[in-house]
Amino acid sequence: MSDFRTSRRWFLRGLGGAMLPIPIMPSLLSPQALAATPADGKIFIGFMSAYGGVWAHKMLPKLAADAQSMAYAGRTIRRGNLSSTSANGQTVVSDVLRAPGSAFTPALVKKMSVLQGIDIPFDTNHHAAATFGNFSQGDGKAKTQPWRATIDQTIAQSTAFYPNLDGVTQRSVYISHFGDLSFRNKVPGKPSGGVDKVRPFMTPESLWSSLFGSFQPPSASAAPTRPSIVDLVHEDYVRLKTNPRLSATDKDRLEDHVQRIADIKRRMSVSVSTAACARPAKPGSPPQVQCGNPQSHADFYKSFQDILVAGLACGLTRVVSQFHQGWSTTFGKKCEDPWHQDVSHKVQDAGPHEEMATCL
């Protein structure tokens, strides 16, 4: 019988695989991270719609005759101020970019930027995440490219965007009911370590629980604290991390696990002092989406809005991405496969294209 001695390294590896609750300690941060300035309050909100193509003249507004132009990278680029008109109670920038005038105000139009000419010049058939930078996610020829973190998760993992995580319960919020839009680096800042799918929020209840479930209002009295086991094993964590025998793969796995556990621990004790912050009521079951009933779709997505707005106002998150699947959540009269085959796959024809532009 061989003499097998359990070393501290093996003990910590086993413990790490089960529950190693070690947070990121200030002593491990870089000087740049420690010297980072407070967050400036900027937010990122991205939407992906899998409805298919829309002809440019339906989506994009016309530039005014006096638009500015200049030569750049061998091409002529132009810019001009957005203008809008009013029709039937709606503010209209283009056939697609329109909304009720009570919400889509002239002040909001002035804050908008509409970009033309930024596109993906290769096949990304049946994709979602290519819109956010992970080109290999689709079925097209781009699948030969390496898998990448998407823009929302690159921002969410950035210490420049989040110099500190005070008051943050979720670095990012991803809402989806079909498809994979959001991917994060397994090890922040290290693309070569591979990527993970980000788990989406599919109901308003789950979103509320994640943002506000452990929320401490400013007036709440601080709960008594006691030493945490994560602090007790910090020295062992540092010793394991710097052990020359630890492989690069094991080190990445350790860092990934430690950061995830640290994020859970941090979210359990978040409090804010923002005057505009108020916790919304916990939502019930969302409205049921019904085929051929556009209002039911609008009501469903509106059920997320108050929670998102409150979460952004409280600073509980600053990154939001949302994916609308193309035929199961269409605002048109056709649902599921009829929309897919009769509209999305025939969008080059005038009839289907008009239907798509109307539904958007």
Side-chain angles (χ1 to χ4, degrees), residues 10 31 52 56 68 81 85 135 142 145 151 178 193 276 279 282 290 311 318:
W10 277 105
Q68 297 176 316
N81 294 326
T85 58
F135 305 121
Q145 298 195 28
I151 183 63
F178 182 93
R279 173 165 33 189
K282 186 174 182 179
Q290 301 171 359
R318 290 168 49 210

Side-chain angles (χ1 to χ4, degrees), residues 43-47 132 152-153 156 161-162 170-175 181 207 211 308-309 311-312 317-322:
I43 62 174
F44 171 88
I45 301 177
F47 293 92
F132 277 24
D152 58 327
Q153 296 305 314
F161 193 84
Y162 278 121
Q170 289 290 326
R171 284 176 176 265
S172 66
V173 167
Y174 165 44
I175 299 171
L181 172 65
L207 177 60
L211 287 175
L308 287 173
V309 170
L312 292 168
T317 190
R318 290 168 49 210
V319 178
V320 177
S321 55
Q322 189 162 352

Side-chain angles (χ1 to χ4, degrees), residues 126-138 143 146-157 172-174 176 178-189 191 194-200 260 319 321 323:
H126 288 157
H127 79 87
T131 308
F132 277 24
N134 185 7
F135 305 121
S136 291
Q137 182 272 334
K143 286 183 73 66
W147 287 67
R148 298 182 175 91
T150 48
I151 183 63
D152 58 327
Q153 296 305 314
T154 299
I155 291 174
Q157 291 184 329
S172 66
V173 167
Y174 165 44
S176 175
F178 182 93
D180 301 312
L181 172 65
S182 193
F183 292 80
R184 64 182 287 275
N185 285 322
K186 290 183 178 180
V187 180
V195 299
D196 281 334
K197 294 180 183 179
V198 176
R199 184 176 180 180
R260 294 187 189 213
V319 178
S321 55
F323 178 45

Side-chain angles (χ1 to χ4, degrees), residues 183-236:
F183 292 80
R184 64 182 287 275
N185 285 322
K186 290 183 178 180
V187 180
K190 190 174 181 179
S192 61
V195 299
D196 281 334
K197 294 180 183 179
V198 176
R199 184 176 180 180
F201 295 101
M202 301 183 70
T203 65
E205 302 101 305
S206 63
L207 177 60
W208 185 93
S209 297
S210 180
L211 287 175
F212 292 97
S214 58
F215 172 75
Q216 305 268 341
S219 59
S221 58
T225 59
R226 62 181 180 178
S228 171
I229 189 174
V230 299
D231 302 320
L232 300 178
V233 297
H234 174 243
E235 291 184 3
D236 289 328

Side-chain angles (χ1 to χ4, degrees), residues 237-300:
Y237 159 65
V238 174
R239 188 178 297 111
L240 174 60
K241 178 183 176 182
T242 56
N243 190 321
R245 294 178 56 191
L246 189 67
S247 70
T249 300
D250 282 346
K251 184 177 292 186
D252 286 347
R253 291 179 62 189
L254 176 65
E255 288 299 316
D256 180 39
H257 183 75
V258 165
Q259 292 194 30
R260 294 187 189 213
I261 296 299
D263 208 42
I264 293 173
K265 176 178 180 292
R266 177 187 55 76
R267 297 201 309 262
M268 292 176 64
S269 57
V270 165
S271 62
V272 298
S273 57
T274 306
C277 179
R279 173 165 33 189
K282 186 174 182 179
S285 298
Q288 293 296 311
V289 174
Q290 301 171 359
C291 178
N293 183 352
Q295 188 60 48
S296 71
H297 297 272
D299 292 343
F300 176 80

Side-chain angles (χ1 to χ4, degrees), residues 82 97 108-115:
L82 283 179
L97 302 177
L108 186 57
V109 173
K110 290 182 179 179
K111 295 179 180 180
M112 286 183 62
S113 294
V114 179
L115 305 180

Side-chain angles (χ1 to χ4, degrees), residues 17-139:
M19 60 165 287
L20 186 61
I22 304 176
I24 297 299
M25 296 295 173
S27 60
L28 301 180
L29 296 177
S30 66
Q32 292 83 357
L34 288 172
T37 56
D40 58 8
K42 290 183 178 180
I43 62 174
F44 171 88
I45 301 177
F47 293 92
M48 162 61 182
S49 173
Y51 283 89
V54 175
W55 290 338
H57 72 272
K58 293 286 186 180
M59 174 65 74
L60 300 166
K62 294 181 179 179
L63 278 176
D66 60 351
Q68 297 176 316
S69 65
M70 64 176 290
Y72 180 81
R75 297 184 179 275
T76 299
I77 61 175
R78 297 180 298 161
R79 73 172 184 180
N81 294 326
L82 283 179
S83 60
S84 62
T85 58
S86 297
N88 299 321
Q90 290 193 324
T91 299
V92 180
V93 174
S94 72
D95 286 353
V96 172
L97 302 177
R98 59 170 65 210
S102 57
F104 197 12
T105 63
L108 186 57
V109 173
K110 290 182 179 179
K111 295 179 180 180
M112 286 183 62
S113 294
V114 179
L115 305 180
Q116 180 179 6
I118 299 177
D119 209 341
I120 301 172
F122 43 78
D123 179 17
T124 54
N125 185 32
H126 288 157
H127 79 87
T131 308
F132 277 24
N134 185 7
F135 305 121
S136 291
Q137 182 272 334
D139 295 337

